[in-house]
Amino acid sequence: SIVNLKLEAEAAYVKSTNITMENAIDILLYADSMNLALLKEVVIDFLAENSIASQDLDFTIVPSYLMKDVFVAFGRKTNRGAKRGKDYDLSVMSVSELRRKLAEKGLDVDGSREAMIEALTTNIAD
């Protein structure tokens, strides 16, 4: 399907992209503008992994709604060893985890992180 093709292309782009402190913000903004959830998450995780160097970046051009994802990534990095039970909060799951849950339920696996969480939340409520 066209969705699978888009996801495969995004995964290939992620693998071939060298994220550095010099290009991280630009790639993040590009990923957001093209609704590339996996690429966006990879960049945000890169920033979390390099938190000391990230302090020198200019986040003023990053839309405020993206900052929540940045904070979630920093939280995921901090709580990496924590046990993830059945009721693990959807808001802190990675894009891959969200897509896996969506696929298990036969739901659309494409879309923004927020759209994936909404779909899972709606499906749970039904």
Side-chain angles (χ1 to χ4, degrees), residues 14-66:
V14 166
K15 281 184 179 179
S16 69
T17 301
N18 182 29
I19 301 168
T20 65
M21 282 300 158
E22 289 75 30
N23 68 14
I25 298 294
D26 289 337
I27 295 173
L28 177 61
L29 295 173
Y30 172 75
D32 182 54
S33 71
M34 295 295 162
N35 197 25
L36 301 171
L38 181 62
L39 179 60
K40 187 165 62 168
E41 181 175 80
V42 167
V43 174
I44 289 172
D45 285 346
F46 171 83
L47 294 172
E49 291 293 326
N50 298 283
S51 57
I52 301 299
S54 296
Q55 294 176 17
D56 295 333
L57 296 177
D58 180 12
F59 283 93
T60 60
I61 61 173
V62 176
S64 59
Y65 62 87
L66 282 179

Side-chain angles (χ1 to χ4, degrees), residues 35-102:
N35 197 25
L36 301 171
L38 181 62
L39 179 60
K40 187 165 62 168
E41 181 175 80
V42 167
V43 174
I44 289 172
D45 285 346
F46 171 83
L47 294 172
E49 291 293 326
N50 298 283
S51 57
I52 301 299
S54 296
Q55 294 176 17
D56 295 333
L57 296 177
D58 180 12
F59 283 93
T60 60
I61 61 173
V62 176
S64 59
Y65 62 87
L66 282 179
M67 294 312 294
K68 177 182 176 190
D69 290 340
V70 172
F71 293 133
V72 167
F74 278 79
R76 252 194 329 262
K77 177 183 177 261
T78 304
N79 297 319
R80 186 166 284 146
K83 186 175 180 181
R84 297 179 177 185
K86 181 180 176 185
D87 296 325
Y88 184 57
D89 188 359
L90 295 174
S91 67
V92 296
M93 286 185 173
S94 69
V95 169
S96 297
E97 291 171 313
L98 291 169
R99 285 184 175 158
R100 191 171 16 263
K101 279 197 162 297
L102 287 164

Side-chain angles (χ1 to χ4, degrees), residues 102 110-120:
L102 287 164
D110 191 22
S112 68
R113 187 170 205 295
E114 294 76 19
M116 287 186 264
I117 291 170
E118 178 66 26
L120 286 167

